[in-house]
Amino acid sequence: MVRVVPGISAGGHEKIRTGTDGQKFGLSIADGYAQHAVARILDQPQLELTGLHCHLGSQITSVKPYLAAVRRMVGLMARRHEQHGLVPPELDLGGGHGIAYRPGEDALDLTSLARKVRTELADACASAGLPVPRLVIEPGRGTAGPAGVALYRVLSVKHSGETVFVAVDGGLSDNPRPALYGVRYAPRLIGRHSPAAPARVTVVGRHCEAGDILAADAELPADVRPGDLLAVPVAGAYHLSMASGYNLVGRPSVVAVRDGLARLLVRRESMEDVLGRDVGL
């Protein structure tokens, strides 16, 4: 397949918009590199062009960018058909389906996406006189995100003027996304019932960075204290895959929970694991 840049800006933050020209992903339609790649593949008898692929970005909550991508990708297919007499059998529109990380946030309507994209593809292919290719999407975060919950233990609570900092035993090493591109989460106190009124706090990580903030302006009970557990919903898509050894903090464990039963899937990374690669000791 050829990864095509259709020249469409979509996504929740400029750092996760991958459908525009001038970035590292894919081959652009505008400058002709996508067309050139298709021609080169067709000139190689040992290669088979199985389809075209694009990915517009992440956290997209509107169907409109996908419809624009369909039109541009079918336009590219039509031009390749005119020149080479070939129609790629598959069109992959990528993923980037937006989900709600906090109550009240927008999420992509998948039913509407399926209906409108299918109609747009059929109409565009009919207008171009092309057969309708097999349509592929990549749900990714839309499936994995809501399936996971991140758990943190409160280490300390600090009052600084009007700001309350709640420090936890994780942060940048298990979730760099708030620092990278401003993702906002809604942590909740679990494990005990608190009668205290809600208060606005800033949940911060344990790492040596002022920007290690997991949730700014979060709402937690005013009596939150060291030892408490905080749960961060919608953590299934990127916490594990983006976890690192930042500041030599070991990566967390992963536990599957169902019907009151728990099973360890990935064990916690120990200091022995971290030091195990050292060869000069």
Side-chain angles (χ1 to χ4, degrees), residues 2-281:
V2 173
R3 169 80 176 259
V4 176
V5 179
I8 296 170
S9 179
H13 190 281
E14 63 179 9
K15 293 182 179 180
I16 52 176
R17 295 174 186 169
T18 56
T20 58
D21 293 310
Q23 41 83 25
K24 71 176 187 176
F25 295 105
L27 301 171
S28 172
I29 295 176
D31 61 17
Y33 275 101
Q35 296 90 317
H36 180 61
V38 170
R40 289 190 63 186
I41 291 172
L42 297 179
D43 283 340
Q44 302 296 320
Q46 71 270 33
L47 298 179
E48 177 186 358
L49 181 65
T50 59
L52 300 177
H53 172 269
C54 70
H55 184 78
L56 305 181
S58 294
Q59 273 302 93
I60 302 171
T61 57
S62 170
V63 175
K64 290 182 179 179
Y66 294 103
L67 303 183
V70 168
R71 292 190 291 269
R72 295 191 184 183
M73 297 295 280
V74 171
L76 176 61
M77 291 168 58
R79 292 190 293 274
R80 296 307 91 195
H81 181 256
E82 292 173 1
Q83 293 184 355
H84 305 285
L86 176 71
V87 178
E90 187 168 288
L91 175 62
D92 187 336
L93 292 181
H97 306 158
I99 59 177
Y101 283 92
R102 301 189 304 165
E105 288 187 342
D106 293 333
L108 185 64
D109 185 337
L110 297 182
T111 301
S112 176
L113 174 73
R115 182 178 65 252
K116 292 182 178 180
V117 164
R118 184 172 55 187
T119 300
E120 188 71 31
L121 180 59
D123 291 347
C125 287
S127 297
L130 301 176
V132 177
R134 178 173 180 262
L135 180 63
V136 178
I137 62 170
E138 303 167 19
R141 153 205 337 249
T143 300
V149 177
L151 298 183
Y152 297 96
R153 189 174 300 279
V154 176
L155 301 178
S156 64
V157 178
K158 171 186 173 180
H159 295 261
S160 180
E162 296 182 355
T163 303
V164 179
F165 292 100
V166 177
V168 298
D169 59 349
L172 274 172
S173 60
D174 62 85
N175 186 10
R177 300 177 70 240
L180 283 175
Y181 35 81
V183 177
R184 303 184 70 185
Y185 292 91
R188 293 289 183 263
L189 176 69
I190 62 170
R192 71 176 177 91
H193 173 71
S194 171
R200 293 289 177 180
V201 305
T202 298
V203 180
V204 298
R206 59 175 289 185
H207 305 81
C208 187
E209 298 284 357
D212 184 15
I213 297 175
L214 282 171
D217 199 29
E219 189 173 276
L220 291 173
D223 66 349
V224 62
R225 55 182 182 257
D228 279 341
L229 290 177
L230 301 185
V232 177
V234 199
Y238 292 110
H239 274 66
L240 176 62
S241 62
M242 297 181 76
S244 70
Y246 195 91
N247 277 175
L248 292 184
V249 173
R251 287 171 290 185
S253 60
V254 180
V255 179
V257 179
R258 181 177 182 179
D259 297 331
L261 300 176
R263 180 165 62 96
L264 184 67
L265 299 181
V266 180
R267 66 172 175 81
R268 186 184 307 276
E269 192 172 33
S270 67
M271 184 54 65
E272 287 73 22
D273 293 323
V274 174
L275 297 178
R277 296 185 299 116
D278 289 354
V279 295
L281 299 180

